[in-house]
């Protein structure tokens, strides 16, 4: 083993020049430069290698920003990387393990082709190789190296450990190259426009996403979506390159070439669409604003084979007095004409998992700590017996979800849900209808999410603490909020973009809610920027009004806001409310309803235009008038950081 620890002393003049910042990086007196060692797995006794894949976010960030990429353009990435390697990489005299999906072999580096990001290698003596089969003999590996002209990509090399520190910078440099091309670089990046800083636009958001995933700050469903989108985009880009190459190699204007050009354009449009989706997920600000379509594979059990319905009673300890009260109030009501079958549990999660269609779960006062997800796929009722603050269900562990609802008719009442260390919202309504009444929700990330085609009725409840939006309303959903408090969240209520032609308009009712003390807006509408928005913004700037106006109660009027005619389907009570004197605390109601109605009308106009382009001049009235049903009355907006209502344009 001592053979592999012999120090090879090289005097690197470049490291002694004026570029002290580059020479300092990786030196022995800087944090993170005294690297650890890793013992390779496998049957072959390979020497230890440098342990470099544990680098922290700020270490990689600093390396790429300060020493490798700086302010380079996408087309300059390889050139800048080569310049960095020339300064820090030992040109020869170090050993490495060459790893592929098929084999691992020990090699010695005798030279480096910096511009190609490759090392010139030879097999080490003694010959050490491990493979999935026995075909990779010494002669076979020699032949393979000859075919590759003995040049191996640096990202396929793992530097052999040397305790002297002589090769610390070499090991770090190879790690940075490997990580960059495995996790950051995309094959289509080189074709991106060169009028922007590549690090700021691509490297930083992708690096942050990578570490957010490592640290479990991104829902697993969103991670799966991202990986799937990335695979699709890479596959389409390969096809696009093949089509483009076939066109460029052809000298004729044949019909086949014309077909190829059309195919290439279609592939290009699909690639651009996927790239846009990837960028939205990579952007930490937009990642949760636009969300993702999560598949919920919950399967309803349906009725029991016997047809009976059971009442489940949950209590950590059952005292005689509590049992008598339950029998009097819940288990033997006068209106009940038949015997009830009762099951007792000490864990609310176990009780919910035991439910079938039509069952009821009664949860007695207590503090319950659960380590799992409430997956409610049947029409069941969860009811707290007492006040919400006396019946606390606390989520433990870093699971994605707390409560997932897909049942046709679910009712949850008189409970307090407390969430910790989460990466997704406290309650997700994926399908069906969920009624939430007299509950307290202490959130961690986002609050309640109502997915497309799902319905939520929330009344007399209190929601707070969300680092995202308290309530997220997806296109095509139905959301009714009555007499609730939504406060101390990043945003109060977020209505996701529904202008896309594939989306249906949500139905929203908000009556007598108190939305206060949120960091951003009380209500935010997310939608794409349209040409009219640009024109309105330009007109405002021409008038010299470049700042949003704000009323005494903190109600913000977003720049470019237009008083467009509301659709006819806006409820009569809204018209009456418009005519009434608007109080100081509730004037945001009109503004929200007006903007939602105007956006709904805009969608109808877009749909009409789309139909016209397709040659359809007459259409079903129901299709042409899918304006948003809006009832926004009596809500109070207080002390929200940016005002009662805002529009997020993208």
């Amino acid at each position: 083993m001592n053979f592999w620890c012999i120090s090879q002393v090289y005097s690197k003049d470049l490291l002694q020049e004026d570029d002290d910042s580059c020479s300092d990086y990786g030196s022995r007196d800087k944090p993170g430069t005294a690297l650890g060692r890793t013992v390779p797995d496998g049957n072959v006794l390979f020497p230890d290698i440098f342990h470099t894949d544990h680098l922290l976010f700020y270490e990689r960030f600093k390396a790429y920003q300060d020493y490798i990429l700086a302010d380079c353009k996408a087309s300059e990435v390889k050139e800048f990387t080569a310049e960095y390697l020339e300064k820090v990489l030992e040109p020869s005299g170090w050993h490495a393990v060459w790893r592929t999906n098929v084999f691992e072999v020990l090699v010695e580096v005798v030279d480096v082709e910096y511009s190609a990001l490759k090392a010139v290698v030879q097999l080490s003596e003694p010959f050490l190789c491990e493979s999935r089969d026995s075909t990779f003999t010494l002669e076979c590996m020699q032949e393979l190296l000859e075919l590759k002209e003995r040049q191996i990509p640096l990202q396929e090399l793992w530097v052999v450990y040397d305790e002297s520190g002589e090769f610390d910078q070499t090991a770090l440099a190879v790690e940075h190259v490997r990580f960059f091309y495995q996790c950051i670089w995309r094959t289509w990046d080189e074709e991106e426009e060169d009028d922007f800083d590549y690090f700021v636009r691509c490297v930083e958001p992708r690096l942050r996403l990578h570490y957010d995933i490592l640290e479990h700050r991104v829902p697993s469903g969103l991670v799966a979506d991202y990986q799937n989108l990335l695979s699709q985009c890479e596959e389409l880009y390969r096809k696009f390159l093949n089509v483009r190459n076939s066109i460029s190699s052809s000298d004729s204007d044949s019909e086949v070439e014309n077909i190829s050009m059309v195919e290439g354009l279609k592939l290009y449009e699909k690639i651009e669409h996927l790239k846009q989706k990837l960028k939205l997920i990579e952007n930490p600000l937009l990642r949760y604003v636009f969300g993702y379509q999560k598949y919920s594979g919950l399967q309803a059990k349906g009725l029991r084979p016997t047809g009976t319905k059971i009442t489940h009673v949950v209590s950590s300890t059952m005292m005689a007095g509590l049992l008598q009260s339950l029998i009097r109030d819940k288990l033997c009501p006068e209106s009940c004409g038949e015997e009830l079958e009762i099951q007792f549990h000490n864990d609310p999660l176990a009780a919910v998992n035991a439910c079938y269609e039509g069952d009821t779960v009664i949860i007695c006062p207590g503090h319950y700590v659960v380590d799992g997800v409430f997956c409610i796929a049947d029409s069941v009722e969860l009811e707290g017996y007492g006040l919400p603050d006396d019946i606390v269900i606390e989520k433990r562990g870093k699971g994605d979800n707390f409560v997932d609802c897909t049942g046709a008719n679910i009712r949850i009442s008189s409970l307090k849900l407390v969430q910790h260390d989460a990466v997704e919202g406290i309650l997700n309504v994926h399908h069906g209808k969920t009624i939430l009444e007299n509950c307290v929700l202490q959130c961690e990330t986002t609050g309640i999410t109502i997915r497309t085609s799902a319905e939520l009725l929330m009344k007399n409840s209190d929601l707070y603490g969300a680092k995202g939006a308290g309530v997220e309303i997806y296109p095509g959903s139905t959301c009714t909020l009555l007499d609730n408090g939504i406060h101390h969240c990043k945003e109060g209520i977020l209505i996701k973009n529904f202008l896309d032609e594939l989306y249906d308009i949500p139905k929203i009712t908000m009556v007598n809610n108190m939305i206060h003390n949120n960091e951003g807006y009380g209500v935010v509408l997310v939608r794409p920027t349209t040409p009219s928005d640009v024109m309105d913004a330009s007109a405002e700037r021409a008038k010299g009004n470049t700042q949003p106006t704000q009323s005494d109660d903190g109600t913000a009027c977003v720049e470019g806001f237009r008083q467009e005619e509301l659709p006819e389907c806006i409820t009569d009570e809204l018209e009456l409310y418009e005519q009434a004197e608007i109080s100081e605390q509730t004037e945001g109601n009109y503004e929200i309803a007006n903007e939602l109605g105007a956006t709904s009308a805009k969608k109808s106009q877009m749909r009409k235009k789309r139909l016209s382009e397709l040659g359809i001049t007459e259409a079903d009235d129901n299709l042409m008038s899918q304006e948003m049903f809006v009832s926004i009355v009596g809500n109070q907006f207080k002390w929200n950081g940016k005002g009662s209502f805002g529009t997020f344009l993208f």
Side-chain angles (χ1 to χ4, degrees):
M1 182 65 97
N2 292 336
F3 172 80
W4 305 113
C5 296
I6 296 176
S7 298
Q8 302 293 329
V9 181
Y10 289 90
S11 175
K12 294 285 287 180
D13 294 338
L14 283 171
L15 296 181
Q16 307 301 325
E17 293 178 356
D18 295 335
D19 191 0
D20 293 334
S21 63
C22 188
S23 63
D24 283 345
Y25 182 70
S27 62
R28 296 283 293 179
D29 58 346
K30 289 284 182 176
T33 60
L35 304 176
R37 64 202 300 167
T38 298
V39 179
D41 298 327
N43 299 321
V44 177
L45 295 178
F46 284 111
D48 294 355
I49 58 176
F50 280 106
H51 183 44
T52 55
D53 58 0
H54 68 298
L55 297 181
L56 301 176
F57 166 80
Y58 81 89
E59 293 175 304
R60 296 194 194 274
F61 184 94
K62 182 177 180 64
Y64 293 126
Q65 184 184 50
D66 295 348
Y67 307 118
I68 304 176
L69 301 176
D71 57 353
C72 75
K73 310 303 181 185
S75 60
E76 301 171 331
V77 166
K78 197 169 184 178
E79 177 186 347
F80 274 58
T81 304
E83 291 179 1
Y84 161 75
L85 292 175
E86 287 182 11
K87 296 177 181 179
V88 301
L89 197 67
E90 294 289 345
S92 62
W94 47 281
H95 294 79
V97 177
W98 175 23
R99 288 180 178 174
T100 69
N101 294 330
V102 181
F103 63 82
E104 296 183 11
V105 62
L106 188 64
V107 297
E108 179 183 0
V109 175
V110 296
D111 198 4
V112 176
E113 291 291 338
Y114 296 105
S115 60
L117 308 184
K118 292 183 178 182
V120 181
V121 304
Q122 64 184 20
L123 295 176
S124 295
E125 296 182 1
F127 174 66
L128 292 178
C129 179
E130 184 173 32
S131 63
R132 295 180 180 178
D133 51 53
S134 58
T135 58
F136 288 94
T137 62
L138 175 60
E139 293 74 16
C140 181
M141 293 302 303
Q142 291 282 17
E143 184 178 350
L144 179 60
L145 282 177
E146 291 298 330
L147 289 174
K148 290 180 169 289
E149 298 180 343
R150 299 189 174 274
Q151 295 186 12
I152 307 301
L154 287 171
Q155 58 261 38
E156 295 181 8
L157 299 178
W158 272 256
V159 181
V160 168
Y161 182 77
D162 182 281
E163 62 185 9
S164 69
E166 181 73 23
F167 300 111
D168 276 13
Q169 291 190 65
T170 295
L172 284 170
V174 172
E175 169 63 26
H176 290 318
V177 172
R178 175 169 45 251
F179 181 88
F180 177 79
Y181 282 101
Q182 286 181 352
C183 303
I184 305 296
W185 180 255
R186 308 288 183 249
T187 53
W188 53 83
D189 281 354
E190 218 165 23
E191 299 191 17
E192 292 278 2
E193 297 177 4
D194 255 0
D195 57 351
F196 62 85
D197 186 325
Y198 179 72
F199 177 86
V200 172
R201 183 162 176 177
C202 295
V203 178
E204 181 178 354
R206 292 172 187 171
L207 185 62
R208 290 188 183 278
L209 174 62
H210 177 84
Y211 276 88
D212 284 347
I213 292 172
L214 283 182
E215 296 166 10
H216 306 289
R217 291 199 293 262
V218 181
S220 58
L222 188 56
V223 175
D225 280 0
Y226 183 77
Q227 297 297 341
N228 184 44
L229 289 169
L230 193 58
S231 299
Q232 291 181 47
C233 200
E234 289 172 346
E235 178 63 25
L236 288 175
Y237 188 70
R238 282 193 291 270
K239 292 181 180 179
F240 173 75
L241 290 180
N242 292 335
V243 172
R244 188 172 66 178
N245 292 336
S246 67
I247 295 174
S248 60
S249 62
S250 175
D251 297 331
S252 62
D253 293 332
S254 63
E255 183 178 350
V256 175
E257 183 178 350
N258 292 334
I259 294 175
S260 296
M261 292 183 66
V262 173
E263 181 184 356
L265 288 174
K266 290 181 178 179
L267 287 171
Y268 179 80
E269 290 179 356
K270 291 180 180 178
I271 292 168
E272 289 300 311
H273 183 64
L274 290 175
K275 284 163 62 177
Q276 185 64 25
K277 287 186 174 181
L278 288 170
K279 289 178 180 178
L280 292 178
I281 298 176
E282 289 165 357
N283 188 312
L285 297 177
L286 304 182
R287 186 179 303 156
Y288 300 104
V289 172
F290 295 92
Y292 63 101
Q293 299 299 319
K294 178 179 177 180
Y295 169 75
S296 181
L298 303 180
Q299 296 295 323
K301 297 178 183 177
L303 292 171
R304 280 185 179 80
T306 59
T308 59
K309 297 179 181 179
I310 293 178
T311 298
H312 304 263
V313 177
V314 180
S315 179
S316 54
T317 56
M318 181 59 69
M319 307 300 290
L322 176 60
L323 182 58
Q324 289 175 354
S325 299
L326 275 172
I327 292 173
R328 181 186 67 244
D329 298 335
K330 297 294 181 182
L331 303 182
C332 289
E334 295 179 359
S335 60
C336 182
E338 59 183 28
E339 286 289 328
L340 290 178
E341 183 175 342
I342 303 170
Q343 290 184 5
F344 291 91
H345 308 264
N346 58 13
D347 177 18
L349 185 57
V352 170
N353 290 339
C355 283
Y356 282 76
E357 183 80 12
D359 283 6
T360 299
V361 179
I362 299 175
I363 304 176
C364 297
H367 191 118
Y368 304 90
V369 179
V370 298
D371 190 0
V373 181
F374 287 90
C375 300
I376 309 174
D378 292 279
S379 295
V380 300
E381 181 175 347
L382 276 70
E383 177 184 355
Y385 182 56
L387 298 175
D389 286 335
D390 296 330
I391 308 156
V392 180
I393 303 177
E394 183 176 347
K395 176 74 164 63
R396 180 175 59 192
K398 285 194 174 183
D400 279 356
N401 309 318
F402 194 167
V403 181
D404 272 349
C405 299
T406 61
N409 197 349
I410 297 169
R411 185 182 186 90
I412 302 173
S413 61
S414 301
L415 296 176
K416 181 175 182 179
L417 304 179
V418 179
Q419 187 182 36
H420 295 296
D421 296 326
V423 292
E424 205 168 281
I426 197 166
L427 189 147
N428 283 279
V429 186
H430 297 283
H431 306 294
K433 179 178 181 179
T434 295
I435 299 174
L436 195 69
E437 184 174 6
N438 194 32
C439 289
V440 177
L441 292 90
Q442 179 180 319
C443 307
E444 177 74 13
T445 51
T446 52
I448 299 174
T449 302
I450 310 104
R451 303 281 178 180
T452 299
S453 301
E455 180 177 355
L456 172 74
L457 168 57
M458 177 178 170
K459 58 189 298 188
N460 299 319
S461 295
D462 191 47
L463 185 153
Y464 60 92
K467 293 184 176 66
V471 178
E472 288 188 356
I473 303 173
Y474 272 66
S477 64
T478 300
C479 180
T480 303
L481 304 175
L482 308 175
D483 301 292
N484 301 290
I486 301 173
H487 56 98
H488 294 92
C489 302
K490 177 71 174 178
E491 310 284 353
I493 298 169
L494 188 146
I495 304 169
K496 292 181 178 287
N497 169 46
F498 56 86
L499 279 180
D500 191 293
E501 62 183 69
L502 299 177
Y503 295 155
D504 290 327
I505 298 172
K507 296 179 175 62
I508 300 172
T509 301
M510 292 172 54
V511 178
N512 296 335
N513 298 283
M514 172 67 80
I515 302 173
H516 64 95
N517 289 102
N518 296 291
E519 183 179 338
Y521 291 104
V523 177
V524 174
L525 171 64
V526 178
R527 65 177 178 84
T529 304
T530 61
S532 59
D533 295 317
V534 178
M535 293 173 61
D536 290 340
S538 300
E540 288 293 327
R541 285 193 294 270
K543 294 177 182 179
N545 182 18
T546 60
Q547 297 294 328
T549 59
Q550 187 161 331
S551 63
D552 294 336
D553 73 329
T555 302
C557 301
V558 179
E559 180 181 341
F561 175 77
R562 298 179 310 286
Q563 299 289 337
E564 297 190 32
E565 182 180 355
L566 289 176
E568 294 180 357
C569 68
I570 300 297
T571 56
D572 293 338
E573 61 183 356
L574 182 59
E575 295 177 2
L576 294 174
Y577 179 75
E578 178 182 355
Q579 297 170 3
E581 180 180 359
I582 302 175
S583 70
E584 180 181 6
Q585 295 180 352
T586 61
E587 65 179 10
N589 290 273
Y590 172 77
E591 183 182 3
I592 295 168
N594 192 19
E595 179 67 9
L596 294 181
T599 306
S600 173
K602 184 175 297 183
K603 179 177 176 67
S604 292
Q605 295 171 4
M606 293 169 60
R607 181 169 293 172
K608 292 176 183 179
K609 182 179 179 181
R610 176 65 174 167
L611 292 173
S612 176
E613 291 173 350
L614 295 174
I616 302 174
T617 56
E618 296 183 3
D620 185 0
D621 291 339
N622 292 329
L623 177 66
M624 299 300 294
S625 59
Q626 287 192 19
E627 281 82 8
M628 177 188 293
F629 173 84
V630 179
S631 179
I632 313 246
V633 178
N635 303 285
Q636 296 187 47
F637 301 88
K638 291 184 176 182
W639 309 303
N640 296 295
K642 295 183 179 179
S644 61
F645 178 72
T647 302
F648 186 97
L649 301 177
F650 66 96

